[in-house]
Amino acid sequence: MNAVVHCPEDAKQQTQPRLSTWQAYLSLSFAQRKRGVRLLESVHEGPLYVQKAFYPEGEGCAHCYLLHPPGGLVTGDHLSINITSQDSSHALITTPGAGRVYKAREQGGIQTQSIQLNVEQDACLEWLPLETILFPNSQARLNTRIDLAENAKVIVWDMTCFGLPANNLEFTEGSIKQSLQIWSKGRIKLNERLVIDLPSDADKDALTILKGNAGLRSKPVHGLLLAGPFQASEATALIDALRLLSPQLRLEEALFAITLNGEFLMVRYLGHCTEQARLYFTEAWGLIRPALLKKDAVVPRIWAT
């Protein structure tokens, strides 16, 4: 005699395919010691780490290269990065290659990166990663918060490429929620936020933010370089010098802007090429760094490989 056997609920759940995801965490802390700045703490979980600090400009500034072997985020991935530059220390963090946010799986879900930068009294921190590429139908959540103590200084940049322009793949489906905040003494000093949500059945009106004159004007690469705090009198001559960079970099097809927002200098790029954006920001950084940190710009060696 045959009988119907009912599968328990927990057994049903076990038979469902599970998503393979990475939950990665990295915490770095730099401190000033008698022999220079040292990487005092490096704690990581998952595929996110640094190997060691480098000193291409001497012991006064530690360069570190953030390594993420998977090379990008898939559905369900969450990268959490916490970096502290302790009192009177100076660190520069970059990446050896572009970050990627891949197409989301059919099961849905988001891809998240959370960055916390803590700059303590009289310290300096430079966060200069290479570009982030958003694949069509990715679901990115990219959040950065910077906390500044007394007389702390920061230089950060972010470059985002919507789609794969070289492969003629436009970002016509997917979403991104991107935020950058600067806090000082418990008060918010700057708040940048970008929200783009394009469902699979998006109409032409939904694409206005990417294609319209009030949006990205069909230019898929957007970049922001931010530095400060500056006094208004200190920034005036620097802004004039930065505006002279555009002819040298042949930005005829790109748009750029330099503004002072409160105490923070903001350099924006909007164009078609991540390499051009990187070159432009590197040139701008070469002017900003001496003005803000009283040190010449020394390009990380990893950028030349």
mmCIF file of all heavy atoms in Angstrom, residues 165-190:
data_model
loop_
_atom_site.group_PDB
_atom_site.id
_atom_site.type_symbol
_atom_site.label_atom_id
_atom_site.label_comp_id
_atom_site.label_asym_id
_atom_site.label_seq_id
_atom_site.Cartn_x
_atom_site.Cartn_y
_atom_site.Cartn_z
ATOM 1 N N PRO A 165 30.412 51.061 -20.704
ATOM 2 C CA PRO A 165 30.411 51.844 -21.946
ATOM 3 C C PRO A 165 31.249 51.222 -23.055
ATOM 4 O O PRO A 165 30.866 51.276 -24.230
ATOM 5 C CB PRO A 165 30.991 53.197 -21.502
ATOM 6 C CG PRO A 165 30.751 53.258 -20.035
ATOM 7 C CD PRO A 165 30.829 51.857 -19.541
ATOM 8 N N ALA A 166 32.386 50.622 -22.712
ATOM 9 C CA ALA A 166 33.253 50.039 -23.733
ATOM 10 C C ALA A 166 32.583 48.867 -24.448
ATOM 11 O O ALA A 166 32.920 48.555 -25.596
ATOM 12 C CB ALA A 166 34.574 49.586 -23.110
ATOM 13 N N ASN A 167 31.630 48.224 -23.771
ATOM 14 C CA ASN A 167 30.901 47.093 -24.359
ATOM 15 C C ASN A 167 29.500 47.484 -24.825
ATOM 16 O O ASN A 167 28.686 46.609 -25.142
ATOM 17 C CB ASN A 167 30.789 45.950 -23.347
ATOM 18 C CG ASN A 167 32.137 45.377 -22.980
ATOM 19 O OD1 ASN A 167 33.066 45.418 -23.773
ATOM 20 N ND2 ASN A 167 32.254 44.847 -21.780
ATOM 21 N N ASN A 168 29.223 48.797 -24.829
ATOM 22 C CA ASN A 168 27.907 49.311 -25.237
ATOM 23 C C ASN A 168 26.774 48.745 -24.387
ATOM 24 O O ASN A 168 25.669 48.512 -24.886
ATOM 25 C CB ASN A 168 27.652 49.013 -26.720
ATOM 26 C CG ASN A 168 28.621 49.741 -27.626
ATOM 27 O OD1 ASN A 168 28.921 50.916 -27.410
ATOM 28 N ND2 ASN A 168 29.137 49.051 -28.632
ATOM 29 N N LEU A 169 27.051 48.517 -23.101
ATOM 30 C CA LEU A 169 26.021 48.045 -22.172
ATOM 31 C C LEU A 169 25.646 49.197 -21.251
ATOM 32 O O LEU A 169 26.424 49.599 -20.371
ATOM 33 C CB LEU A 169 26.524 46.852 -21.358
ATOM 34 C CG LEU A 169 26.750 45.548 -22.133
ATOM 35 C CD1 LEU A 169 27.316 44.473 -21.212
ATOM 36 C CD2 LEU A 169 25.447 45.072 -22.761
ATOM 37 N N GLU A 170 24.467 49.761 -21.453
ATOM 38 C CA GLU A 170 24.025 50.895 -20.655
ATOM 39 C C GLU A 170 23.372 50.429 -19.357
ATOM 40 O O GLU A 170 22.852 49.325 -19.259
ATOM 41 C CB GLU A 170 23.030 51.746 -21.450
ATOM 42 C CG GLU A 170 23.621 52.381 -22.690
ATOM 43 C CD GLU A 170 22.624 53.282 -23.393
ATOM 44 O OE1 GLU A 170 21.461 53.376 -22.916
ATOM 45 O OE2 GLU A 170 22.978 53.892 -24.406
ATOM 46 N N PHE A 171 23.390 51.307 -18.376
ATOM 47 C CA PHE A 171 22.746 51.036 -17.096
ATOM 48 C C PHE A 171 21.285 51.474 -17.201
ATOM 49 O O PHE A 171 20.907 52.570 -16.783
ATOM 50 C CB PHE A 171 23.460 51.786 -15.977
ATOM 51 C CG PHE A 171 23.037 51.377 -14.588
ATOM 52 C CD1 PHE A 171 23.609 50.282 -13.974
ATOM 53 C CD2 PHE A 171 22.072 52.094 -13.899
ATOM 54 C CE1 PHE A 171 23.237 49.907 -12.692
ATOM 55 C CE2 PHE A 171 21.681 51.726 -12.623
ATOM 56 C CZ PHE A 171 22.271 50.628 -12.020
ATOM 57 N N THR A 172 20.464 50.636 -17.796
ATOM 58 C CA THR A 172 19.043 50.959 -17.982
ATOM 59 C C THR A 172 18.148 50.180 -17.028
ATOM 60 O O THR A 172 16.925 50.330 -17.072
ATOM 61 C CB THR A 172 18.616 50.659 -19.429
ATOM 62 O OG1 THR A 172 18.898 49.283 -19.724
ATOM 63 C CG2 THR A 172 19.356 51.548 -20.413
ATOM 64 N N GLU A 173 18.753 49.353 -16.181
ATOM 65 C CA GLU A 173 17.985 48.566 -15.224
ATOM 66 C C GLU A 173 18.863 48.319 -14.003
ATOM 67 O O GLU A 173 20.030 47.985 -14.123
ATOM 68 C CB GLU A 173 17.554 47.235 -15.843
ATOM 69 C CG GLU A 173 16.705 46.367 -14.929
ATOM 70 C CD GLU A 173 16.293 45.070 -15.592
ATOM 71 O OE1 GLU A 173 16.505 44.945 -16.824
ATOM 72 O OE2 GLU A 173 15.774 44.181 -14.894
ATOM 73 N N GLY A 174 18.294 48.511 -12.812
ATOM 74 C CA GLY A 174 19.041 48.329 -11.580
ATOM 75 C C GLY A 174 18.832 49.505 -10.648
ATOM 76 O O GLY A 174 17.997 50.382 -10.900
ATOM 77 N N SER A 175 19.589 49.547 -9.581
ATOM 78 C CA SER A 175 19.429 50.645 -8.632
ATOM 79 C C SER A 175 20.737 50.899 -7.888
ATOM 80 O O SER A 175 21.579 50.010 -7.752
ATOM 81 C CB SER A 175 18.318 50.333 -7.615
ATOM 82 O OG SER A 175 18.713 49.298 -6.725
ATOM 83 N N ILE A 176 20.879 52.139 -7.434
ATOM 84 C CA ILE A 176 21.992 52.512 -6.574
ATOM 85 C C ILE A 176 21.504 53.536 -5.566
ATOM 86 O O ILE A 176 20.757 54.465 -5.908
ATOM 87 C CB ILE A 176 23.185 53.082 -7.378
ATOM 88 C CG1 ILE A 176 24.305 53.521 -6.422
ATOM 89 C CG2 ILE A 176 22.763 54.225 -8.281
ATOM 90 C CD1 ILE A 176 25.579 53.948 -7.086
ATOM 91 N N LYS A 177 21.887 53.315 -4.319
ATOM 92 C CA LYS A 177 21.681 54.303 -3.259
ATOM 93 C C LYS A 177 23.050 54.566 -2.659
ATOM 94 O O LYS A 177 23.637 53.696 -2.021
ATOM 95 C CB LYS A 177 20.696 53.786 -2.210
ATOM 96 C CG LYS A 177 19.287 53.607 -2.741
ATOM 97 C CD LYS A 177 18.318 53.156 -1.664
ATOM 98 C CE LYS A 177 16.900 53.003 -2.230
ATOM 99 N NZ LYS A 177 15.944 52.535 -1.187
ATOM 100 N N GLN A 178 23.555 55.765 -2.911
ATOM 101 C CA GLN A 178 24.924 56.105 -2.553
ATOM 102 C C GLN A 178 24.917 57.336 -1.652
ATOM 103 O O GLN A 178 24.260 58.337 -1.952
ATOM 104 C CB GLN A 178 25.723 56.379 -3.831
ATOM 105 C CG GLN A 178 27.201 56.565 -3.653
ATOM 106 C CD GLN A 178 27.907 56.703 -4.996
ATOM 107 O OE1 GLN A 178 27.345 57.237 -5.955
ATOM 108 N NE2 GLN A 178 29.120 56.223 -5.085
ATOM 109 N N SER A 179 25.641 57.258 -0.551
ATOM 110 C CA SER A 179 25.682 58.395 0.371
ATOM 111 C C SER A 179 27.095 58.621 0.871
ATOM 112 O O SER A 179 27.892 57.683 0.999
ATOM 113 C CB SER A 179 24.749 58.169 1.569
ATOM 114 O OG SER A 179 25.240 57.144 2.407
ATOM 115 N N LEU A 180 27.424 59.894 1.122
ATOM 116 C CA LEU A 180 28.690 60.287 1.714
ATOM 117 C C LEU A 180 28.407 61.394 2.717
ATOM 118 O O LEU A 180 27.833 62.430 2.357
ATOM 119 C CB LEU A 180 29.673 60.752 0.645
ATOM 120 C CG LEU A 180 31.121 61.011 1.086
ATOM 121 C CD1 LEU A 180 32.072 60.865 -0.094
ATOM 122 C CD2 LEU A 180 31.306 62.406 1.701
ATOM 123 N N GLN A 181 28.794 61.159 3.956
ATOM 124 C CA GLN A 181 28.559 62.138 5.018
ATOM 125 C C GLN A 181 29.863 62.452 5.729
ATOM 126 O O GLN A 181 30.700 61.569 5.936
ATOM 127 C CB GLN A 181 27.548 61.609 6.040
ATOM 128 C CG GLN A 181 26.147 61.417 5.507
ATOM 129 C CD GLN A 181 25.179 60.993 6.595
ATOM 130 O OE1 GLN A 181 25.580 60.454 7.633
ATOM 131 N NE2 GLN A 181 23.896 61.233 6.378
ATOM 132 N N ILE A 182 30.010 63.729 6.123
ATOM 133 C CA ILE A 182 31.124 64.149 6.969
ATOM 134 C C ILE A 182 30.546 64.717 8.258
ATOM 135 O O ILE A 182 29.665 65.585 8.232
ATOM 136 C CB ILE A 182 32.002 65.197 6.273
ATOM 137 C CG1 ILE A 182 32.666 64.597 5.024
ATOM 138 C CG2 ILE A 182 33.072 65.719 7.228
ATOM 139 C CD1 ILE A 182 33.572 65.567 4.288
ATOM 140 N N TRP A 183 31.042 64.201 9.390
ATOM 141 C CA TRP A 183 30.609 64.639 10.709
ATOM 142 C C TRP A 183 31.802 65.198 11.469
ATOM 143 O O TRP A 183 32.931 64.731 11.312
ATOM 144 C CB TRP A 183 30.008 63.482 11.503
ATOM 145 C CG TRP A 183 28.684 63.005 10.978
ATOM 146 C CD1 TRP A 183 28.450 62.274 9.856
ATOM 147 C CD2 TRP A 183 27.412 63.245 11.568
ATOM 148 N NE1 TRP A 183 27.113 62.028 9.696
ATOM 149 C CE2 TRP A 183 26.437 62.606 10.737
ATOM 150 C CE3 TRP A 183 26.976 63.903 12.715
ATOM 151 C CZ2 TRP A 183 25.086 62.633 11.030
ATOM 152 C CZ3 TRP A 183 25.621 63.932 13.004
ATOM 153 C CH2 TRP A 183 24.687 63.306 12.168
ATOM 154 N N SER A 184 31.550 66.197 12.297
ATOM 155 C CA SER A 184 32.585 66.766 13.159
ATOM 156 C C SER A 184 31.945 67.211 14.470
ATOM 157 O O SER A 184 30.957 67.965 14.459
ATOM 158 C CB SER A 184 33.263 67.953 12.473
ATOM 159 O OG SER A 184 34.240 68.531 13.312
ATOM 160 N N LYS A 185 32.481 66.695 15.571
ATOM 161 C CA LYS A 185 31.990 67.050 16.904
ATOM 162 C C LYS A 185 30.493 66.810 17.034
ATOM 163 O O LYS A 185 29.756 67.622 17.604
ATOM 164 C CB LYS A 185 32.325 68.510 17.228
ATOM 165 C CG LYS A 185 33.809 68.817 17.193
ATOM 166 C CD LYS A 185 34.066 70.294 17.443
ATOM 167 C CE LYS A 185 35.549 70.612 17.324
ATOM 168 N NZ LYS A 185 35.827 72.058 17.526
ATOM 169 N N GLY A 186 30.022 65.707 16.470
ATOM 170 C CA GLY A 186 28.616 65.340 16.594
ATOM 171 C C GLY A 186 27.674 66.073 15.667
ATOM 172 O O GLY A 186 26.459 65.885 15.741
ATOM 173 N N ARG A 187 28.206 66.891 14.784
ATOM 174 C CA ARG A 187 27.363 67.644 13.849
ATOM 175 C C ARG A 187 27.724 67.281 12.416
ATOM 176 O O ARG A 187 28.899 67.121 12.079
ATOM 177 C CB ARG A 187 27.540 69.152 14.058
ATOM 178 C CG ARG A 187 27.151 69.630 15.442
ATOM 179 C CD ARG A 187 27.277 71.130 15.559
ATOM 180 N NE ARG A 187 26.373 71.825 14.640
ATOM 181 C CZ ARG A 187 26.302 73.148 14.529
ATOM 182 N NH1 ARG A 187 27.110 73.927 15.246
ATOM 183 N NH2 ARG A 187 25.461 73.698 13.683
ATOM 184 N N ILE A 188 26.708 67.174 11.582
ATOM 185 C CA ILE A 188 26.956 66.845 10.182
ATOM 186 C C ILE A 188 27.401 68.095 9.438
ATOM 187 O O ILE A 188 26.799 69.172 9.554
ATOM 188 C CB ILE A 188 25.698 66.221 9.538
ATOM 189 C CG1 ILE A 188 26.053 65.649 8.164
ATOM 190 C CG2 ILE A 188 24.542 67.206 9.477
ATOM 191 C CD1 ILE A 188 24.982 64.741 7.597
ATOM 192 N N LYS A 189 28.498 67.954 8.680
ATOM 193 C CA LYS A 189 29.062 69.074 7.940
ATOM 194 C C LYS A 189 28.740 69.008 6.450
ATOM 195 O O LYS A 189 28.692 70.038 5.780
ATOM 196 C CB LYS A 189 30.586 69.095 8.129
ATOM 197 C CG LYS A 189 31.028 69.362 9.556
ATOM 198 C CD LYS A 189 30.714 70.778 9.968
ATOM 199 C CE LYS A 189 31.284 71.101 11.331
ATOM 200 N NZ LYS A 189 31.047 72.523 11.720
ATOM 201 N N LEU A 190 28.564 67.808 5.949
ATOM 202 C CA LEU A 190 28.296 67.648 4.517
ATOM 203 C C LEU A 190 27.528 66.355 4.305
ATOM 204 O O LEU A 190 27.809 65.340 4.952
ATOM 205 C CB LEU A 190 29.612 67.627 3.734
ATOM 206 C CG LEU A 190 29.517 67.647 2.199
ATOM 207 C CD1 LEU A 190 30.634 68.504 1.613
ATOM 208 C CD2 LEU A 190 29.608 66.240 1.632
#
